[in-house]
Amino acid sequence: MILILGGTAEARELAAGLHAAGVPVTTSLAGRVSNPRLPPGHTRIGGFGGPDALAGWIDEHRVRAVVDATHPFAERISSSAARACPQANVPLLRLERPGYREREGDRWQWVQDLAGAAGAITAGARVLLTTGRQGLAAFASRDDAWFLVRCVDPPSPPLPRHHELLLDRGPYDIAGELALIDEHGIDVVVTKDSGGPHTVAKLHAARERGLPVIVVRRPPRRETATVTGVSAALRWACEAGRCP
Ligand code: NAP
């Protein structure tokens, strides 16, 4: 069986490909969102309890190989997989989509983390904040700006004092993002460098309106064999799972 550490569109695509190829596959989800999109094949939901417990789970379920297809900003589970797989003596592949690419006309400011993003917002700004539900406390002290906070599920406090919550789930298109920017008088967009086609429309919309974008860099990662596309991961996992 192949274990996919999931929570991304790429993980779902990979699970679908393996399932279609007749390779037994289980996708593991953290259980963060209330109504997750479930991939084909088996799924399990919830943390493993750290690297040792993950190694035990791999062993117990006779996992042949692990694909870490978690989100580029999900640091702890990736680090856990990088420790657990050698311990359980199974190969590990990291599937990580490429980051966003800056284009002519973009006005991006790169920052190290969410605190850096909060610090880069100018007083009085009207912000489209798309960094997700976690870590919003970093923006909580910015009483001098207004935030349109967009995320899938309701975030926990603390949140910035002046904000409106928009619960939504991509994919988004440019027309919709332009309408959102115009309707709320947005003058800066804040995003993580998540990459991928489902959420890139906000960057095209910002370029079209000449708006600055504050982009949070991806966290540094351990050395793990990495591919950026689902088809390469599928080939690797099929081989590891001995596809017919
Ligand atoms: P994280 O900080 O790396 O993970 C925190 C803990 O949650 C891990 O230590 C692990 O618990 C558990 N966990 C995370 N992903 C898991 C998975 N796929 N299966 C089983 N347990 C998992 O991750 P996060 O940033 O909270 O993200 C949680 C999930 O949401 C990830 O699977 C990720 O792919 C998805 N996601 C994250 C973001 C983001 O911006 N961070 C965006 C979209 C989707 P144990 O130590 O107990 O095993």
Side-chain angles (χ1 to χ4, degrees), residues 213-226:
V213 180
I214 298 168
V215 187
V216 181
R217 278 187 205 288
R218 292 183 175 189
R221 290 203 165 258
R222 283 172 182 242
E223 295 283 311
T224 299
T226 301

Side-chain angles (χ1 to χ4, degrees), residues 84-98:
C85 288
Q87 204 174 313
N89 201 24
V90 296
L92 169 67
L93 182 73
R94 168 84 183 141
L95 167 57
E96 184 169 301
R97 61 174 90 129

Side-chain angles (χ1 to χ4, degrees), residues 60-121:
E60 188 187 329
H61 293 82
R62 297 166 175 272
V63 172
R64 288 186 108 100
V66 178
V67 180
D68 170 14
T70 55
H71 191 269
F73 282 81
E75 285 180 78
R76 278 194 289 156
I77 185 68
S78 291
S79 151
S80 199
R83 281 178 55 191
C85 288
Q87 204 174 313
N89 201 24
V90 296
L92 169 67
L93 182 73
R94 168 84 183 141
L95 167 57
E96 184 169 301
R97 61 174 90 129
Y100 295 132
R101 286 222 334 262
E102 215 164 339
R103 298 222 204 130
E104 207 181 317
D106 280 332
R107 297 173 56 203
W108 291 8
Q109 178 182 354
W110 289 89
V111 294
Q112 279 311 112
D113 50 24
L114 291 176
I121 293 167

Side-chain angles (χ1 to χ4, degrees), residues 4-8 28-32 44-51 54 69-78 80 131-132 134 192 194:
I4 300 175
L5 301 172
T8 58
S28 174
L29 301 171
R32 291 278 187 283
R44 65 161 300 286
I45 297 184
F48 292 94
L54 173 55
T70 55
H71 191 269
F73 282 81
E75 285 180 78
R76 278 194 289 156
I77 185 68
S78 291
S80 199
T131 51
Q134 297 181 71
K192 290 174 174 170
S194 300

Side-chain angles (χ1 to χ4, degrees), residues 107-144:
R107 297 173 56 203
W108 291 8
Q109 178 182 354
W110 289 89
V111 294
Q112 279 311 112
D113 50 24
L114 291 176
I121 293 167
T122 51
R126 293 183 64 82
V127 185
L128 172 57
L129 184 56
T130 65
T131 51
R133 180 169 67 134
Q134 297 181 71
L136 292 176
F139 300 90
S141 62
R142 293 304 309 257
D143 290 353
D144 55 348

Side-chain angles (χ1 to χ4, degrees), residues 32-35 132-133 151-156 165 167-169:
R32 291 278 187 283
V33 294
S34 54
N35 186 19
R133 180 169 67 134
C151 42
V152 177
D153 280 322
S156 313
L165 194 57
L167 299 182
D168 203 356
R169 189 194 313 239

